[in-house]
Amino acid sequence: MEKNTSPVLEIRHMNISFLQYEKGFRQVELPVISDLNLTIEEGEMVAVVGSSGSGKSLLAHGVMGILPYNASMGGEMIYRGQPLTRKRIQKLRGNEIVMVPQSTSYLDPLMKVGQQICKGSRDEEKKKKLNQIFHRFSLEEKVQQQYPFELSGGMTRRIMISTALIENPRLVIADEPTPGLHLKMAKRAMEHFRQLADMGAGVLVITHDLELALETADKVVVFYAGHTIEEANASDFKEVSLLRHPYTRALWKAIPQNGFESIPGIQPYVKEMPKGCPFAPRCEKRTAECEGEIPYRKVRDGYVRCLYDA
Amino acid sequence: MSSSMGKTIGKNIIRMILLVIAVSIAAFTLMTLSPIDPLQANVGQAALGSMSQEQIAKLEEYWGVGQPPLQRYLAWAKDFFTGDMGVSLLYRQEVSKVIAVKLGNSMFLMVMAWVFSGILGFVLGAVAGMHRGRAADKIIRGYCLTVSSTPAFWIAMLLLIVFGVWLKVLPIGLSVPIGVEASGVTFLDRVRHAILPAVTLSITGISNIALHTREKMIDIMESDYVLFARARGESNWQIFKNHGFRNVIGPAMTLQFAAISEIFGGSVLVEQVFSYPGLGQAAVSAGLGSDLPLLMAITIISALFVFGGNLIANILYGVIDPRIRKGEKAV
């Protein structure tokens, strides 16, 4: 038995880049994720929050070992005390480590839903478990005999979460599980993940919806242009002064109850990444030093990638 | 459901009739534009020279020389649509009887080739698509590209030289042994004579089916649902069994039924090389010999076969794909 004091998943200095051909045969390496750090403990729900195009989905694909062939990944992943190698993830994915996908396109259009959740197995145990899950999600049993195109958006979402529940996961990675759901359904979906965490699994939810993440997650990792810029406890978001990074504070202020303010500028594209701090061009506090190396350092029980902590 | 079914059937019948009319007009036009003089082709220059004027006139009437084309076409069409395909000028038998015999021979060959190329093409295509870029894929693709850029008659001659002439294991032509009474011909004899032409047809048929199946399989392998299956720990075999086969079989079936036209077209050349007395060969001799009723009938029957193949493909697709079967709008 591995020690249960070690985190479920620890990611250190993860970077993912793509090889791309540009004009003829010149190969360019596009760094999509650079220096990503996060830790998920048992029973903990961590939300990775970032706007679209920040490379969040690749994080999930990187952990699951399903990056496309022209992508390369560096850094360290440690699952329950031991390195998560390619071989190890191939053994663990689909039972101990599960992913909840982003959209209906991840379901086979020609396979009945029930069969699909059970991966085509006719095992009676599995079927029983499936019935229980359907009951819990208030899905009718006849839905098992339907095809993905016959489902509503909310049903599809529940079916995709069911693919995780049918296993006995210790680590759940949910990639944008809520878009397209109205608030009530989205909240309920997040609660399902919360339940999984309460049952002892480590849950990583990748989302662009900070407000929703704050309601259920324990910890929030803020992602900006491929960098983790802050790791904060969900409770830190109660008070803007508890937050560490200017971008996180900007996100906080963008929430309707907190002023609904937006900051000018856009997230830089990978090819036009500024030197040093990726947020510097939009930051009010930038100085010449911001173009240098910015360490990811511990501040008040969290982490921040900024030279000036408030 | 039933009313839409009736509509579909009605639509297809109308389509079929229009097709037959169009094909018959096209075939007839080509035939009248043909530079071949039926008398010279069928009687011979020397024989014609020694004939009297009345004899030649009689022959001209028999072969329809000098008749106004429109009148000729209408006369043929009237008979054809009342079920009378006429008498073959070359075989001096009812066209329906000639076709029955020839089609019987050809069917044997074409069904063998169709089944064989369908199954093998599907398997090869699926294997190549699942292992894109690896050795198996390279070999299969190399084979398919080579074969599809090689003319069928050339492959036929190659096989004939190797198996018929050098190895002497298979007959070099015809559908039955030479010098044997019809009653003495066994089923095995027929099979032996059909092997080379059927293999030739299959070899060319396989590459088309395999290449298309491979393309489709590659699309499937790159889909999000296969990516997700991989993330759920499904093995390559499970991915094929659960997702690959399920998604590729529909398009493959469609292709297979649409491929009937290619088998039909290929059989004309292949039968010619092997002197195999089938429909294809009959079409060639009817064309060269100005046997109008026979050629028209063969053309129309071929068109109906191809039409039928495509129709079955469409219907099957609806049966296999639940999105169509359960009445969703076309995806």
mmCIF file of all heavy atoms in Angstrom, chain B residues 213-257:
data_model
loop_
_atom_site.group_PDB
_atom_site.id
_atom_site.type_symbol
_atom_site.label_atom_id
_atom_site.label_comp_id
_atom_site.label_asym_id
_atom_site.label_seq_id
_atom_site.Cartn_x
_atom_site.Cartn_y
_atom_site.Cartn_z
ATOM 1 N N THR B 213 -12.037 2.364 -47.405
ATOM 2 C CA THR B 213 -12.235 1.935 -46.020
ATOM 3 C C THR B 213 -11.124 2.516 -45.147
ATOM 4 O O THR B 213 -11.372 2.962 -44.026
ATOM 5 C CB THR B 213 -12.223 0.401 -45.920
ATOM 6 O OG1 THR B 213 -13.144 -0.116 -46.868
ATOM 7 C CG2 THR B 213 -12.616 -0.066 -44.544
ATOM 8 N N ARG B 214 -9.905 2.513 -45.672
ATOM 9 C CA ARG B 214 -8.773 3.043 -44.915
ATOM 10 C C ARG B 214 -8.990 4.524 -44.579
ATOM 11 O O ARG B 214 -8.828 4.935 -43.434
ATOM 12 C CB ARG B 214 -7.499 2.883 -45.741
ATOM 13 C CG ARG B 214 -6.284 3.514 -45.117
ATOM 14 C CD ARG B 214 -5.051 3.355 -45.991
ATOM 15 N NE ARG B 214 -3.931 4.053 -45.409
ATOM 16 C CZ ARG B 214 -3.674 5.344 -45.599
ATOM 17 N NH1 ARG B 214 -4.465 6.061 -46.376
ATOM 18 N NH2 ARG B 214 -2.636 5.911 -45.025
ATOM 19 N N GLU B 215 -9.393 5.305 -45.593
ATOM 20 C CA GLU B 215 -9.637 6.730 -45.358
ATOM 21 C C GLU B 215 -10.640 6.935 -44.231
ATOM 22 O O GLU B 215 -10.447 7.715 -43.323
ATOM 23 C CB GLU B 215 -10.211 7.388 -46.621
ATOM 24 C CG GLU B 215 -9.208 7.824 -47.657
ATOM 25 C CD GLU B 215 -8.036 8.586 -47.080
ATOM 26 O OE1 GLU B 215 -8.265 9.616 -46.425
ATOM 27 O OE2 GLU B 215 -6.888 8.147 -47.273
ATOM 28 N N LYS B 216 -11.737 6.178 -44.341
ATOM 29 C CA LYS B 216 -12.814 6.331 -43.359
ATOM 30 C C LYS B 216 -12.307 5.925 -41.972
ATOM 31 O O LYS B 216 -12.614 6.572 -40.974
ATOM 32 C CB LYS B 216 -13.996 5.458 -43.804
ATOM 33 C CG LYS B 216 -15.237 5.623 -42.983
ATOM 34 C CD LYS B 216 -15.866 6.996 -43.143
ATOM 35 C CE LYS B 216 -16.700 7.292 -41.910
ATOM 36 N NZ LYS B 216 -17.077 8.684 -41.778
ATOM 37 N N MET B 217 -11.541 4.857 -41.944
ATOM 38 C CA MET B 217 -11.031 4.360 -40.675
ATOM 39 C C MET B 217 -10.093 5.386 -40.038
ATOM 40 O O MET B 217 -10.118 5.578 -38.825
ATOM 41 C CB MET B 217 -10.285 3.046 -40.923
ATOM 42 C CG MET B 217 -10.112 2.219 -39.686
ATOM 43 S SD MET B 217 -11.682 1.903 -38.877
ATOM 44 C CE MET B 217 -11.502 0.232 -38.441
ATOM 45 N N ILE B 218 -9.304 6.054 -40.865
ATOM 46 C CA ILE B 218 -8.388 7.074 -40.334
ATOM 47 C C ILE B 218 -9.193 8.215 -39.715
ATOM 48 O O ILE B 218 -8.886 8.681 -38.617
ATOM 49 C CB ILE B 218 -7.462 7.590 -41.457
ATOM 50 C CG1 ILE B 218 -6.408 6.524 -41.757
ATOM 51 C CG2 ILE B 218 -6.793 8.898 -41.056
ATOM 52 C CD1 ILE B 218 -5.523 6.836 -42.927
ATOM 53 N N ASP B 219 -10.263 8.621 -40.404
ATOM 54 C CA ASP B 219 -11.137 9.656 -39.829
ATOM 55 C C ASP B 219 -11.654 9.229 -38.464
ATOM 56 O O ASP B 219 -11.695 10.011 -37.525
ATOM 57 C CB ASP B 219 -12.356 9.904 -40.743
ATOM 58 C CG ASP B 219 -11.968 10.668 -41.992
ATOM 59 O OD1 ASP B 219 -10.832 11.174 -42.031
ATOM 60 O OD2 ASP B 219 -12.790 10.746 -42.915
ATOM 61 N N ILE B 220 -12.077 7.970 -38.400
ATOM 62 C CA ILE B 220 -12.639 7.475 -37.144
ATOM 63 C C ILE B 220 -11.574 7.468 -36.060
ATOM 64 O O ILE B 220 -11.818 7.896 -34.930
ATOM 65 C CB ILE B 220 -13.231 6.068 -37.341
ATOM 66 C CG1 ILE B 220 -14.436 6.140 -38.273
ATOM 67 C CG2 ILE B 220 -13.613 5.438 -36.018
ATOM 68 C CD1 ILE B 220 -14.931 4.800 -38.745
ATOM 69 N N MET B 221 -10.382 6.998 -36.423
ATOM 70 C CA MET B 221 -9.309 6.910 -35.424
ATOM 71 C C MET B 221 -8.900 8.285 -34.909
ATOM 72 O O MET B 221 -8.356 8.420 -33.829
ATOM 73 C CB MET B 221 -8.085 6.201 -36.020
ATOM 74 C CG MET B 221 -8.272 4.716 -36.215
ATOM 75 S SD MET B 221 -8.608 3.902 -34.653
ATOM 76 C CE MET B 221 -10.116 3.052 -35.039
ATOM 77 N N GLU B 222 -9.145 9.312 -35.729
ATOM 78 C CA GLU B 222 -8.780 10.661 -35.296
ATOM 79 C C GLU B 222 -9.934 11.360 -34.580
ATOM 80 O O GLU B 222 -9.800 12.509 -34.174
ATOM 81 C CB GLU B 222 -8.362 11.496 -36.510
ATOM 82 C CG GLU B 222 -6.956 11.163 -36.964
ATOM 83 C CD GLU B 222 -6.571 11.872 -38.246
ATOM 84 O OE1 GLU B 222 -7.444 12.512 -38.859
ATOM 85 O OE2 GLU B 222 -5.398 11.760 -38.618
ATOM 86 N N SER B 223 -11.062 10.664 -34.447
ATOM 87 C CA SER B 223 -12.224 11.312 -33.856
ATOM 88 C C SER B 223 -12.057 11.464 -32.351
ATOM 89 O O SER B 223 -11.252 10.785 -31.726
ATOM 90 C CB SER B 223 -13.472 10.482 -34.145
ATOM 91 O OG SER B 223 -13.395 9.299 -33.387
ATOM 92 N N ASP B 224 -12.854 12.363 -31.798
ATOM 93 C CA ASP B 224 -12.825 12.565 -30.354
ATOM 94 C C ASP B 224 -13.266 11.321 -29.607
ATOM 95 O O ASP B 224 -12.761 11.019 -28.538
ATOM 96 C CB ASP B 224 -13.762 13.725 -29.983
ATOM 97 C CG ASP B 224 -13.155 15.070 -30.350
ATOM 98 O OD1 ASP B 224 -11.938 15.114 -30.560
ATOM 99 O OD2 ASP B 224 -13.908 16.060 -30.417
ATOM 100 N N TYR B 225 -14.221 10.566 -30.197
ATOM 101 C CA TYR B 225 -14.719 9.431 -29.419
ATOM 102 C C TYR B 225 -13.709 8.307 -29.320
ATOM 103 O O TYR B 225 -13.714 7.557 -28.345
ATOM 104 C CB TYR B 225 -16.093 8.935 -29.897
ATOM 105 C CG TYR B 225 -16.215 8.575 -31.357
ATOM 106 C CD1 TYR B 225 -15.871 7.315 -31.812
ATOM 107 C CD2 TYR B 225 -16.718 9.492 -32.268
ATOM 108 C CE1 TYR B 225 -16.014 6.977 -33.146
ATOM 109 C CE2 TYR B 225 -16.855 9.165 -33.606
ATOM 110 C CZ TYR B 225 -16.504 7.912 -34.041
ATOM 111 O OH TYR B 225 -16.646 7.580 -35.356
ATOM 112 N N VAL B 226 -12.835 8.205 -30.313
ATOM 113 C CA VAL B 226 -11.769 7.203 -30.185
ATOM 114 C C VAL B 226 -10.707 7.694 -29.200
ATOM 115 O O VAL B 226 -10.181 6.924 -28.402
ATOM 116 C CB VAL B 226 -11.164 6.863 -31.559
ATOM 117 C CG1 VAL B 226 -9.853 6.115 -31.407
ATOM 118 C CG2 VAL B 226 -12.150 6.026 -32.349
ATOM 119 N N LEU B 227 -10.452 8.988 -29.224
ATOM 120 C CA LEU B 227 -9.523 9.566 -28.247
ATOM 121 C C LEU B 227 -10.022 9.290 -26.828
ATOM 122 O O LEU B 227 -9.269 8.886 -25.937
ATOM 123 C CB LEU B 227 -9.432 11.074 -28.482
ATOM 124 C CG LEU B 227 -8.306 11.793 -27.753
ATOM 125 C CD1 LEU B 227 -6.973 11.417 -28.374
ATOM 126 C CD2 LEU B 227 -8.497 13.296 -27.799
ATOM 127 N N PHE B 228 -11.308 9.489 -26.641
ATOM 128 C CA PHE B 228 -11.898 9.265 -25.329
ATOM 129 C C PHE B 228 -11.837 7.787 -24.956
ATOM 130 O O PHE B 228 -11.541 7.431 -23.818
ATOM 131 C CB PHE B 228 -13.346 9.767 -25.327
ATOM 132 C CG PHE B 228 -14.028 9.646 -23.990
ATOM 133 C CD1 PHE B 228 -13.392 10.051 -22.829
ATOM 134 C CD2 PHE B 228 -15.315 9.122 -23.898
ATOM 135 C CE1 PHE B 228 -14.024 9.949 -21.596
ATOM 136 C CE2 PHE B 228 -15.953 9.017 -22.678
ATOM 137 C CZ PHE B 228 -15.310 9.425 -21.521
ATOM 138 N N ALA B 229 -12.091 6.928 -25.948
ATOM 139 C CA ALA B 229 -12.012 5.487 -25.687
ATOM 140 C C ALA B 229 -10.603 5.134 -25.216
ATOM 141 O O ALA B 229 -10.417 4.336 -24.297
ATOM 142 C CB ALA B 229 -12.359 4.699 -26.946
ATOM 143 N N ARG B 230 -9.612 5.757 -25.848
ATOM 144 C CA ARG B 230 -8.228 5.507 -25.455
ATOM 145 C C ARG B 230 -8.014 5.988 -24.020
ATOM 146 O O ARG B 230 -7.385 5.310 -23.210
ATOM 147 C CB ARG B 230 -7.313 6.250 -26.423
ATOM 148 C CG ARG B 230 -5.967 5.622 -26.546
ATOM 149 C CD ARG B 230 -5.322 5.920 -27.874
ATOM 150 N NE ARG B 230 -5.634 4.901 -28.861
ATOM 151 C CZ ARG B 230 -5.736 5.130 -30.152
ATOM 152 N NH1 ARG B 230 -5.583 6.349 -30.615
ATOM 153 N NH2 ARG B 230 -6.010 4.147 -30.972
ATOM 154 N N ALA B 231 -8.575 7.159 -23.706
ATOM 155 C CA ALA B 231 -8.430 7.695 -22.352
ATOM 156 C C ALA B 231 -9.141 6.810 -21.336
ATOM 157 O O ALA B 231 -8.868 6.874 -20.145
ATOM 158 C CB ALA B 231 -8.987 9.112 -22.285
ATOM 159 N N ARG B 232 -10.079 5.998 -21.804
ATOM 160 C CA ARG B 232 -10.777 5.099 -20.888
ATOM 161 C C ARG B 232 -10.113 3.732 -20.861
ATOM 162 O O ARG B 232 -10.685 2.758 -20.378
ATOM 163 C CB ARG B 232 -12.241 4.940 -21.314
ATOM 164 C CG ARG B 232 -13.019 6.232 -21.251
ATOM 165 C CD ARG B 232 -14.468 6.008 -21.595
ATOM 166 N NE ARG B 232 -15.167 5.354 -20.498
ATOM 167 C CZ ARG B 232 -16.320 4.709 -20.636
ATOM 168 N NH1 ARG B 232 -16.878 4.617 -21.823
ATOM 169 N NH2 ARG B 232 -16.895 4.140 -19.602
ATOM 170 N N GLY B 233 -8.923 3.666 -21.421
ATOM 171 C CA GLY B 233 -8.133 2.443 -21.311
ATOM 172 C C GLY B 233 -8.530 1.342 -22.267
ATOM 173 O O GLY B 233 -8.153 0.198 -22.076
ATOM 174 N N GLU B 234 -9.309 1.665 -23.308
ATOM 175 C CA GLU B 234 -9.681 0.605 -24.244
ATOM 176 C C GLU B 234 -8.473 0.222 -25.094
ATOM 177 O O GLU B 234 -7.713 1.087 -25.535
ATOM 178 C CB GLU B 234 -10.840 1.072 -25.138
ATOM 179 C CG GLU B 234 -12.148 1.167 -24.381
ATOM 180 C CD GLU B 234 -13.330 1.530 -25.264
ATOM 181 O OE1 GLU B 234 -13.402 1.061 -26.415
ATOM 182 O OE2 GLU B 234 -14.190 2.291 -24.800
ATOM 183 N N SER B 235 -8.300 -1.073 -25.301
ATOM 184 C CA SER B 235 -7.180 -1.550 -26.113
ATOM 185 C C SER B 235 -7.496 -1.318 -27.589
ATOM 186 O O SER B 235 -8.626 -1.011 -27.943
ATOM 187 C CB SER B 235 -6.973 -3.034 -25.871
ATOM 188 O OG SER B 235 -8.111 -3.740 -26.318
ATOM 189 N N ASN B 236 -6.480 -1.500 -28.428
ATOM 190 C CA ASN B 236 -6.710 -1.316 -29.864
ATOM 191 C C ASN B 236 -7.836 -2.211 -30.363
ATOM 192 O O ASN B 236 -8.659 -1.805 -31.161
ATOM 193 C CB ASN B 236 -5.437 -1.632 -30.644
ATOM 194 C CG ASN B 236 -4.525 -0.428 -30.690
ATOM 195 O OD1 ASN B 236 -4.976 0.703 -30.460
ATOM 196 N ND2 ASN B 236 -3.261 -0.659 -30.955
ATOM 197 N N TRP B 237 -7.853 -3.446 -29.869
ATOM 198 C CA TRP B 237 -8.883 -4.385 -30.303
ATOM 199 C C TRP B 237 -10.255 -3.919 -29.844
ATOM 200 O O TRP B 237 -11.219 -3.938 -30.607
ATOM 201 C CB TRP B 237 -8.563 -5.791 -29.792
ATOM 202 C CG TRP B 237 -9.705 -6.740 -30.020
ATOM 203 C CD1 TRP B 237 -10.453 -7.371 -29.077
ATOM 204 C CD2 TRP B 237 -10.247 -7.142 -31.288
ATOM 205 N NE1 TRP B 237 -11.422 -8.131 -29.670
ATOM 206 C CE2 TRP B 237 -11.324 -8.014 -31.024
ATOM 207 C CE3 TRP B 237 -9.938 -6.840 -32.620
ATOM 208 C CZ2 TRP B 237 -12.078 -8.605 -32.032
ATOM 209 C CZ3 TRP B 237 -10.706 -7.417 -33.633
ATOM 210 C CH2 TRP B 237 -11.746 -8.291 -33.328
ATOM 211 N N GLN B 238 -10.338 -3.451 -28.593
ATOM 212 C CA GLN B 238 -11.627 -2.952 -28.089
ATOM 213 C C GLN B 238 -12.081 -1.731 -28.884
ATOM 214 O O GLN B 238 -13.257 -1.576 -29.174
ATOM 215 C CB GLN B 238 -11.496 -2.555 -26.615
ATOM 216 C CG GLN B 238 -11.746 -3.696 -25.654
ATOM 217 C CD GLN B 238 -11.521 -3.231 -24.239
ATOM 218 O OE1 GLN B 238 -10.466 -2.681 -23.908
ATOM 219 N NE2 GLN B 238 -12.498 -3.459 -23.380
ATOM 220 N N ILE B 239 -11.113 -0.888 -29.212
ATOM 221 C CA ILE B 239 -11.467 0.307 -29.978
ATOM 222 C C ILE B 239 -12.027 -0.101 -31.338
ATOM 223 O O ILE B 239 -13.028 0.434 -31.797
ATOM 224 C CB ILE B 239 -10.244 1.234 -30.126
ATOM 225 C CG1 ILE B 239 -9.984 1.924 -28.792
ATOM 226 C CG2 ILE B 239 -10.474 2.276 -31.224
ATOM 227 C CD1 ILE B 239 -8.772 2.798 -28.762
ATOM 228 N N PHE B 240 -11.405 -1.105 -31.954
ATOM 229 C CA PHE B 240 -11.925 -1.571 -33.236
ATOM 230 C C PHE B 240 -13.317 -2.174 -33.067
ATOM 231 O O PHE B 240 -14.248 -1.853 -33.790
ATOM 232 C CB PHE B 240 -10.984 -2.600 -33.862
ATOM 233 C CG PHE B 240 -11.548 -3.193 -35.127
ATOM 234 C CD1 PHE B 240 -11.584 -2.451 -36.284
ATOM 235 C CD2 PHE B 240 -12.088 -4.473 -35.132
ATOM 236 C CE1 PHE B 240 -12.138 -2.967 -37.433
ATOM 237 C CE2 PHE B 240 -12.647 -4.997 -36.279
ATOM 238 C CZ PHE B 240 -12.672 -4.238 -37.439
ATOM 239 N N LYS B 241 -13.446 -3.028 -32.059
ATOM 240 C CA LYS B 241 -14.691 -3.762 -31.858
ATOM 241 C C LYS B 241 -15.818 -2.797 -31.475
ATOM 242 O O LYS B 241 -16.925 -2.882 -31.996
ATOM 243 C CB LYS B 241 -14.473 -4.783 -30.737
ATOM 244 C CG LYS B 241 -15.608 -5.755 -30.518
ATOM 245 C CD LYS B 241 -15.184 -6.810 -29.511
ATOM 246 C CE LYS B 241 -14.904 -6.234 -28.166
ATOM 247 N NZ LYS B 241 -15.862 -6.349 -27.127
ATOM 248 N N ASN B 242 -15.539 -1.868 -30.580
ATOM 249 C CA ASN B 242 -16.587 -0.986 -30.080
ATOM 250 C C ASN B 242 -16.891 0.182 -31.012
ATOM 251 O O ASN B 242 -18.027 0.618 -31.103
ATOM 252 C CB ASN B 242 -16.199 -0.422 -28.715
ATOM 253 C CG ASN B 242 -16.274 -1.467 -27.621
ATOM 254 O OD1 ASN B 242 -16.910 -2.509 -27.785
ATOM 255 N ND2 ASN B 242 -15.617 -1.206 -26.509
ATOM 256 N N HIS B 243 -15.861 0.722 -31.643
ATOM 257 C CA HIS B 243 -16.064 1.965 -32.386
ATOM 258 C C HIS B 243 -15.689 1.874 -33.867
ATOM 259 O O HIS B 243 -16.420 2.339 -34.709
ATOM 260 C CB HIS B 243 -15.273 3.086 -31.725
ATOM 261 C CG HIS B 243 -15.451 3.139 -30.246
ATOM 262 N ND1 HIS B 243 -16.647 3.494 -29.669
ATOM 263 C CD2 HIS B 243 -14.619 2.838 -29.231
ATOM 264 C CE1 HIS B 243 -16.527 3.423 -28.353
ATOM 265 N NE2 HIS B 243 -15.303 3.027 -28.059
ATOM 266 N N GLY B 244 -14.545 1.285 -34.146
ATOM 267 C CA GLY B 244 -14.050 1.265 -35.522
ATOM 268 C C GLY B 244 -15.007 0.542 -36.440
ATOM 269 O O GLY B 244 -15.519 1.101 -37.411
ATOM 270 N N PHE B 245 -15.301 -0.708 -36.128
ATOM 271 C CA PHE B 245 -16.153 -1.528 -36.976
ATOM 272 C C PHE B 245 -17.529 -0.897 -37.143
ATOM 273 O O PHE B 245 -18.032 -0.734 -38.244
ATOM 274 C CB PHE B 245 -16.277 -2.926 -36.369
ATOM 275 C CG PHE B 245 -17.078 -3.868 -37.209
ATOM 276 C CD1 PHE B 245 -16.531 -4.430 -38.343
ATOM 277 C CD2 PHE B 245 -18.390 -4.178 -36.880
ATOM 278 C CE1 PHE B 245 -17.267 -5.281 -39.137
ATOM 279 C CE2 PHE B 245 -19.137 -5.030 -37.656
ATOM 280 C CZ PHE B 245 -18.574 -5.583 -38.785
ATOM 281 N N ARG B 246 -18.108 -0.526 -36.021
ATOM 282 C CA ARG B 246 -19.441 0.057 -35.993
ATOM 283 C C ARG B 246 -19.566 1.262 -36.922
ATOM 284 O O ARG B 246 -20.560 1.438 -37.608
ATOM 285 C CB ARG B 246 -19.680 0.519 -34.557
ATOM 286 C CG ARG B 246 -21.075 0.769 -34.152
ATOM 287 C CD ARG B 246 -21.037 1.270 -32.718
ATOM 288 N NE ARG B 246 -20.558 0.249 -31.791
ATOM 289 C CZ ARG B 246 -21.358 -0.624 -31.193
ATOM 290 N NH1 ARG B 246 -22.638 -0.597 -31.435
ATOM 291 N NH2 ARG B 246 -20.867 -1.517 -30.358
ATOM 292 N N ASN B 247 -18.534 2.095 -36.922
ATOM 293 C CA ASN B 247 -18.628 3.333 -37.688
ATOM 294 C C ASN B 247 -18.189 3.190 -39.137
ATOM 295 O O ASN B 247 -18.535 4.005 -39.966
ATOM 296 C CB ASN B 247 -17.811 4.433 -37.005
ATOM 297 C CG ASN B 247 -18.554 5.027 -35.828
ATOM 298 O OD1 ASN B 247 -19.413 5.879 -35.991
ATOM 299 N ND2 ASN B 247 -18.257 4.534 -34.639
ATOM 300 N N VAL B 248 -17.400 2.146 -39.405
ATOM 301 C CA VAL B 248 -16.877 2.030 -40.760
ATOM 302 C C VAL B 248 -17.763 1.123 -41.615
ATOM 303 O O VAL B 248 -17.755 1.212 -42.829
ATOM 304 C CB VAL B 248 -15.408 1.534 -40.740
ATOM 305 C CG1 VAL B 248 -15.315 0.026 -40.739
ATOM 306 C CG2 VAL B 248 -14.634 2.113 -41.906
ATOM 307 N N ILE B 249 -18.565 0.276 -40.983
ATOM 308 C CA ILE B 249 -19.308 -0.720 -41.753
ATOM 309 C C ILE B 249 -20.358 -0.069 -42.653
ATOM 310 O O ILE B 249 -20.570 -0.519 -43.782
ATOM 311 C CB ILE B 249 -19.919 -1.817 -40.836
ATOM 312 C CG1 ILE B 249 -20.427 -2.985 -41.651
ATOM 313 C CG2 ILE B 249 -21.019 -1.264 -39.954
ATOM 314 C CD1 ILE B 249 -19.352 -3.861 -42.223
ATOM 315 N N GLY B 250 -20.981 0.991 -42.196
ATOM 316 C CA GLY B 250 -22.001 1.663 -43.011
ATOM 317 C C GLY B 250 -21.430 2.182 -44.319
ATOM 318 O O GLY B 250 -21.875 1.781 -45.409
ATOM 319 N N PRO B 251 -20.432 3.062 -44.233
ATOM 320 C CA PRO B 251 -19.811 3.546 -45.467
ATOM 321 C C PRO B 251 -19.263 2.404 -46.325
ATOM 322 O O PRO B 251 -19.370 2.448 -47.555
ATOM 323 C CB PRO B 251 -18.665 4.431 -44.969
ATOM 324 C CG PRO B 251 -19.000 4.789 -43.585
ATOM 325 C CD PRO B 251 -19.905 3.743 -43.046
ATOM 326 N N ALA B 252 -18.697 1.373 -45.687
ATOM 327 C CA ALA B 252 -18.118 0.270 -46.457
ATOM 328 C C ALA B 252 -19.203 -0.465 -47.242
ATOM 329 O O ALA B 252 -19.017 -0.820 -48.401
ATOM 330 C CB ALA B 252 -17.387 -0.692 -45.530
ATOM 331 N N MET B 253 -20.361 -0.668 -46.615
ATOM 332 C CA MET B 253 -21.479 -1.327 -47.295
ATOM 333 C C MET B 253 -21.932 -0.506 -48.489
ATOM 334 O O MET B 253 -22.173 -1.031 -49.577
ATOM 335 C CB MET B 253 -22.661 -1.471 -46.328
ATOM 336 C CG MET B 253 -22.468 -2.575 -45.345
ATOM 337 S SD MET B 253 -22.600 -4.144 -46.185
ATOM 338 C CE MET B 253 -23.541 -5.039 -44.997
ATOM 339 N N THR B 254 -22.084 0.783 -48.266
ATOM 340 C CA THR B 254 -22.502 1.667 -49.350
ATOM 341 C C THR B 254 -21.546 1.537 -50.524
ATOM 342 O O THR B 254 -21.951 1.377 -51.673
ATOM 343 C CB THR B 254 -22.480 3.126 -48.871
ATOM 344 O OG1 THR B 254 -23.081 3.175 -47.595
ATOM 345 C CG2 THR B 254 -23.218 4.013 -49.827
ATOM 346 N N LEU B 255 -20.284 1.591 -50.188
ATOM 347 C CA LEU B 255 -19.250 1.501 -51.203
ATOM 348 C C LEU B 255 -19.335 0.179 -51.937
ATOM 349 O O LEU B 255 -19.237 0.103 -53.156
ATOM 350 C CB LEU B 255 -17.907 1.614 -50.486
ATOM 351 C CG LEU B 255 -16.709 1.816 -51.365
ATOM 352 C CD1 LEU B 255 -16.832 3.164 -52.052
ATOM 353 C CD2 LEU B 255 -15.460 1.771 -50.522
ATOM 354 N N GLN B 256 -19.552 -0.883 -51.171
ATOM 355 C CA GLN B 256 -19.573 -2.219 -51.742
ATOM 356 C C GLN B 256 -20.701 -2.343 -52.767
ATOM 357 O O GLN B 256 -20.517 -2.910 -53.833
ATOM 358 C CB GLN B 256 -19.714 -3.240 -50.598
ATOM 359 C CG GLN B 256 -19.855 -4.668 -51.021
ATOM 360 C CD GLN B 256 -18.584 -5.195 -51.654
ATOM 361 O OE1 GLN B 256 -17.602 -4.486 -51.795
ATOM 362 N NE2 GLN B 256 -18.624 -6.446 -52.064
ATOM 363 N N PHE B 257 -21.869 -1.798 -52.442
ATOM 364 C CA PHE B 257 -22.973 -1.904 -53.393
ATOM 365 C C PHE B 257 -22.776 -0.954 -54.569
ATOM 366 O O PHE B 257 -23.165 -1.256 -55.693
ATOM 367 C CB PHE B 257 -24.317 -1.675 -52.701
ATOM 368 C CG PHE B 257 -24.805 -2.910 -52.019
ATOM 369 C CD1 PHE B 257 -24.539 -3.143 -50.685
ATOM 370 C CD2 PHE B 257 -25.482 -3.886 -52.734
ATOM 371 C CE1 PHE B 257 -24.946 -4.302 -50.058
ATOM 372 C CE2 PHE B 257 -25.899 -5.055 -52.122
ATOM 373 C CZ PHE B 257 -25.630 -5.261 -50.781
#
